[in-house]
Amino acid sequence: MTGWQKSSFSGGTTGNECLETVIGAGRIRIRESSDPGVVVTTTPGSLRALIRGIKEGEFERLG
């Protein structure tokens, strides 16, 4: 798969500490640059719900 983009929030200078994404066909694919063979695939709506839950502290009780 081509077109991976590094997150602007990734601070790694070696290229091995970065979150990368690619969007296509209504799906978002996310991977860690240090392990590019592992890819998480989601939809924009599901990712929005996850980010909203994180911001609202929904998952704090899990830790």
Side-chain angles (χ1 to χ4, degrees):
M1 176 168 296
T2 60
W4 289 97
Q5 293 184 324
K6 175 183 167 182
S7 169
S8 61
F9 291 100
S10 293
T13 57
T14 63
N16 291 329
E17 303 164 345
C18 305
L19 182 67
E20 300 173 324
T21 60
V22 66
I23 301 171
R27 299 279 188 241
I28 299 171
R29 290 168 183 81
I30 304 167
R31 71 181 184 186
E32 173 65 36
S33 60
S34 63
D35 195 1
V38 177
V39 178
V40 173
T41 302
T42 188
T43 63
S46 294
L47 185 57
R48 273 192 301 274
L50 174 64
I51 292 169
R52 187 179 321 112
I54 291 169
K55 287 181 176 181
E56 293 175 359
E58 219 173 287
F59 306 103
E60 290 176 8
R61 65 181 179 270
L62 299 175

